[in-house]
């Protein structure tokens, strides 16, 4: 198993230099060996979970196809694919959030594929209508509330968080975060741009502090009494509850989960997903890997190890997720989140959501 992890600099010059070096080095390493050509699939991934690597190992055991991995942030990987162009060794891009997958598609970095296996294993709402990307797992963006200070009967919808009773009590992260951008993109889909702007401005006015930190930081802030309810992704709660760090576990134990909008459109969800790159040198192997990740055995592994919801409807939720209960999810095709992303960014900037 060859595993490359690169940290790319933010300045354009350093990015270009590093990308060139990586491309040359990667091409050498990905084609190393003599005699018969080795079967490989080259993965650019934003996901950084041990569960993913374990599944890559299982794929190699099952098929004999070696998985080479380049890890970086989603934005860095997308920029890397742009700079490499037709010389890119990448076969698959894996990242989180439909907004980023849509961005890669719009930049013409992915190619549409046809796969009966993927169409069978992945419901249409979790995949691009043109077949450019496919969801692998999903997570719900829920309300994490203080068990001590909040009566769950007072919670209802994302929209209701703008009511006066939540003044100075709401916590969430920056508008630069793709999770919040996609949440606002979903609100645009349901309420229009004017309605979404009104919601964003009113929610900002109810925040306990300036938006900052990760989803974990929001949970810790609720536990510390800085606010009473936070907007976070479900899987972070699962990770924190099972963390080896006692501080993380104790913080998560002080909150409970609420799935908003159950009486109307349903709770907003988002995905992690994969697409075959435009110039994939090992296209068929790339398709095989995505198909492997969509199968019941792989989906069950991700659901149990990483506390994510499986997109494959034939897979049961993990015991922890079952304990949170069933919930109604928003039926928007997730490609809409990418289509509305630029409008969401404009609205956040207009209302002053940092």
């Amino acid at each position: 198993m060859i595993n490359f992890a690169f940290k790319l600099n933010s300045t354009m010059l350093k990015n270009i230099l590093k990308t060139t070096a990586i491309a040359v080095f990667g091409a050498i390493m990905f084609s190393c060996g003599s005699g018969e050509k080795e079967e490989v699939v080259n993965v650019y991934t934003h996901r950084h979970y041990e569960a993913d690597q374990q599944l890559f190992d299982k794929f190699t055991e099952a098929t004999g196809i070696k998985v080479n991995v380049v890890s970086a942030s989603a934005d860095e990987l997308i920029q890397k694919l742009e700079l490499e162009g037709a010389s890119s060794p990448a076969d698959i891009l894996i990242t989180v959030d439909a907004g980023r997958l849509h961005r890669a598609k719009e930049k013409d970095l992915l190619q549409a594929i046809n796969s009966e296996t993927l169409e069978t294993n992945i419901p249409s709402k979790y995949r691009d209508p043109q077949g450019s990307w496919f969801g692998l797992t999903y997570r719900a963006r829920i309300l994490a509330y203080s068990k001590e200070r909040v009566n769950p009967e007072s919670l209802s919808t994302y929209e209701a968080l703008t009511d006066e009773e939540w003044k100075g009590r709401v916590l969430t992260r920056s508008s630069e975060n793709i999770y919040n951008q996609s949440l606002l993109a979903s609100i645009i889909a349901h309420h229009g741009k004017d309605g979404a702007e009104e919601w964003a401005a009113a929610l900002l006015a109810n925040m306990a502090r300036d938006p900052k930190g990760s989803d974990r930081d929001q949970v810790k802030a609720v536990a510390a009494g800085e606010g009473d309810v936070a907007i976070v992704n479900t899987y972070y709660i699962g990770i924190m509850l099972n963390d080896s760090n006692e501080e993380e576990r104790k913080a998560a134990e002080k909150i409970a989960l609420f799935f908003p909008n159950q009486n109307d459109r349903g709770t907003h969800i988002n995905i992690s997903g994969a697409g075959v790159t435009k110039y994939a040198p090992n296209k068929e192997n790339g398709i095989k890997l995505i198909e492997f990740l969509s199968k019941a055995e792989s989906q069950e592994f991700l659901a149990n190890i990483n506390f994510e919801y499986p997109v494959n409807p034939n897979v049961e939720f993990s015991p922890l997720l079952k304990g949170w209960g069933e919930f109604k999810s928003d039926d928007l095709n997730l490609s809409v989140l990418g289509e509305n992303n630029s409008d969401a960014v404009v609205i956040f900037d207009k209302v002053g959501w940092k």
Side-chain angles (χ1 to χ4, degrees):
M1 180 67 57
I2 303 175
N3 185 10
F4 303 110
F6 299 98
K7 297 293 184 182
L8 307 180
N9 285 320
S10 59
T11 64
M12 181 59 70
L13 178 59
K14 289 184 178 180
N15 257 332
I16 293 172
L17 292 174
K18 284 202 170 187
T19 298
T20 302
I22 290 169
V24 173
F25 180 66
I28 294 172
M29 295 303 293
F30 289 158
S31 63
C32 63
S34 58
E36 186 176 345
K37 182 180 177 181
E38 184 177 46
E39 287 292 319
V40 300
V41 58
N42 305 322
V43 177
Y44 283 10
T45 181
H46 176 204
R47 286 172 59 92
H48 48 80
Y49 310 116
E50 181 60 30
D52 291 36
Q53 188 58 57
Q54 292 179 40
L55 279 176
F56 295 157
D57 292 342
K58 291 177 182 291
F59 174 75
T60 299
E61 291 172 7
T63 65
I65 300 171
K66 185 177 292 185
V67 182
N68 300 315
V69 179
V70 171
S71 298
S73 75
D75 291 340
E76 288 169 338
L77 292 172
I78 288 172
Q79 184 181 51
K80 179 171 164 56
L81 285 170
E82 286 185 284
L83 292 170
E84 290 173 339
S87 65
S88 177
D91 299 305
I92 295 178
L93 173 67
I94 298 177
T95 187
V96 296
D97 197 278
R100 288 189 177 115
L101 290 164
H102 180 80
R103 187 184 307 163
K105 175 187 174 182
E106 288 296 290
K107 289 178 176 290
D108 198 26
L109 300 176
L110 303 177
Q111 62 174 292
I113 62 170
N114 295 309
S115 167
E116 184 176 340
T117 297
L118 292 176
E119 291 181 3
T120 299
N121 291 344
I122 304 174
S124 59
K125 67 182 287 186
Y126 302 123
R127 47 185 164 87
D128 176 59
Q130 285 74 49
S132 293
W133 52 260
F134 299 83
L136 299 174
T137 62
Y138 71 93
R139 59 286 299 268
R141 196 141 184 82
I142 52 85
L143 309 182
Y145 66 90
S146 168
K147 292 178 180 178
E148 298 176 348
R149 301 184 301 279
V150 176
N151 180 345
E153 293 182 2
S154 66
L155 297 167
S156 58
T157 65
Y158 300 109
E159 291 84 350
L161 289 179
T162 65
D163 292 346
E164 183 66 25
E165 69 175 297
W166 299 106
K167 188 80 171 178
R169 302 174 69 189
V170 181
L171 293 157
T172 190
R173 61 201 293 174
S174 166
S175 65
E176 295 180 357
N177 177 255
I178 192 71
Y179 302 147
N180 278 346
Q181 291 174 11
S182 287
L183 173 59
L184 187 57
S186 75
I187 293 175
I188 292 172
H190 290 291
H191 296 295
K193 288 188 281 188
D194 289 342
E197 181 179 331
E198 182 180 345
W199 177 82
L203 189 69
L204 182 63
N206 277 357
M207 289 189 188
R209 65 180 185 188
D210 287 341
K212 64 178 181 179
S214 66
D215 277 17
R216 291 193 191 213
D217 292 325
Q218 312 314 314
V219 174
K220 291 176 185 176
V222 171
E226 295 181 46
D228 293 335
V229 61
I231 302 174
V232 300
N233 283 347
T234 43
Y235 77 104
Y236 283 107
I237 309 299
I239 291 173
M240 292 179 73
L241 287 170
N242 290 271
D243 201 292
S244 59
N245 185 312
E246 185 179 8
E247 179 187 356
E248 298 274 319
R249 294 196 308 274
K250 286 186 174 181
E253 288 167 358
K254 290 184 178 181
I255 64 95
L257 282 67
F258 184 86
F259 293 87
N261 296 80
Q262 291 303 284
N263 293 324
D264 47 60
R265 68 179 180 275
T267 297
H268 169 68
I269 61 171
N270 213 316
I271 58 167
S272 61
V276 175
T277 59
K278 182 177 181 179
Y279 299 107
N282 305 288
K283 176 181 176 180
E284 295 306 316
N285 290 349
I287 295 173
K288 287 178 182 178
L289 178 55
I290 299 176
E291 290 177 339
F292 177 84
L293 295 173
S294 76
K295 291 181 178 179
E297 297 83 357
S298 300
Q299 291 278 295
E300 184 176 0
F301 187 82
L302 286 173
N304 281 282
I305 300 297
N306 219 42
F307 312 107
E308 297 176 275
Y309 291 97
V311 295
N312 189 321
N314 297 316
V315 178
E316 289 189 4
F317 296 166
S318 69
L320 178 62
L321 271 58
K322 281 184 180 179
W324 292 339
E326 295 184 1
F327 70 97
K328 176 184 176 182
S329 64
D330 194 333
D331 277 334
L332 277 177
N333 185 287
L334 297 182
S335 62
V336 173
L337 305 183
E339 293 166 7
N340 289 344
N341 179 266
S342 59
D343 288 332
V345 172
V346 169
I347 289 171
F348 275 137
D349 184 62
K350 186 175 181 180
V351 303
W353 188 321
K354 296 180 181 179

